[in-house]
Amino acid sequence: MLTDADAATSLPLQPMRADHVARAMDLVRMAGWNQTEADWRLMLAIGEGYGVEDEHGVLLASSIVLPYAPGVGWIGMVLVDEAVRRLGLATRLLRNAIAQIQSRSLAPMLDATLPGREVYARLGFRDVESIGRCRACGAPPRTTARNVHSDDA
């Protein structure tokens, strides 16, 4: 595993592949996010994912660029393994995402967690709007299945 920023900058950015999804889920869990494998597969199918692997081929960090509203490219899934945070991996991935989006004459946008916000601000992102995130407590309500027939009234 990487130990310093010099080692982090020596690893190339590379396109994410379907075989990265299982490890990407580890990064999701480390961050406490709620994405699923199906989410990752959809994002990789409709967008462009980039990541950084260590010398053993283990995914250390990820990012996704997704098509969004006209004129906008959305940056998401900027995740870094907790063992190698603060070595510049997120910044490298963000710069790559911004360059991809701007090469298409689109405006880069994203939503930020508190830890990510610091990185984004250093790259010129500014708050536009707040997003509230909610989480339900407890089990979902129980429902019962019932067959509906045309003679039910």
Side-chain angles (χ1 to χ4, degrees), residues 65-129:
V65 171
L66 296 167
Y68 201 63
V72 173
W74 196 265
I75 300 170
M77 305 311 291
V78 179
L79 295 162
V80 178
D81 185 301
E82 56 197 12
V84 293
R85 290 184 183 152
R86 307 197 72 74
L87 297 179
L89 295 175
T91 300
R92 287 182 59 215
L93 286 163
L94 280 163
R95 285 189 174 131
N96 177 66
I98 293 165
Q100 286 181 50
I101 291 167
Q102 289 177 335
S103 74
R104 298 176 190 133
S105 300
L106 302 173
M109 294 186 77
L110 50 79
D111 65 312
T113 61
L114 287 176
R117 191 170 182 274
E118 174 185 327
V119 176
Y120 307 140
R122 284 195 306 261
L123 294 176
F125 285 89
R126 299 289 173 253
D127 291 334
V128 175
E129 191 143 342

Side-chain angles (χ1 to χ4, degrees), residues 17-150:
R17 306 175 307 270
D19 66 334
H20 283 127
V21 170
R23 174 63 178 147
M25 287 303 300
D26 292 339
L27 300 178
V28 166
R29 284 186 284 278
M30 284 180 201
W33 293 4
N34 65 353
Q35 283 75 22
T36 66
E37 285 190 24
D39 294 334
W40 269 106
R41 292 186 196 293
L42 176 64
M43 288 184 283
L44 290 173
I46 64 173
E48 295 177 57
Y50 280 85
V52 177
E53 292 179 348
D54 70 9
E55 62 277 6
H56 305 291
V58 176
L59 185 69
L60 298 174
S62 66
S63 67
I64 294 270
V65 171
L66 296 167
Y68 201 63
V72 173
W74 196 265
I75 300 170
M77 305 311 291
V78 179
L79 295 162
V80 178
D81 185 301
E82 56 197 12
V84 293
R85 290 184 183 152
R86 307 197 72 74
L87 297 179
L89 295 175
T91 300
R92 287 182 59 215
L93 286 163
L94 280 163
R95 285 189 174 131
N96 177 66
I98 293 165
Q100 286 181 50
I101 291 167
Q102 289 177 335
S103 74
R104 298 176 190 133
S105 300
L106 302 173
M109 294 186 77
L110 50 79
D111 65 312
T113 61
L114 287 176
R117 191 170 182 274
E118 174 185 327
V119 176
Y120 307 140
R122 284 195 306 261
L123 294 176
F125 285 89
R126 299 289 173 253
D127 291 334
V128 175
E129 191 143 342
S130 293
I131 297 174
R133 297 189 184 255
C134 303
R135 181 177 300 191
C137 295
R142 289 187 55 173
T143 60
T144 57
R146 142 176 132 86
N147 291 328
V148 177
H149 299 282
S150 60

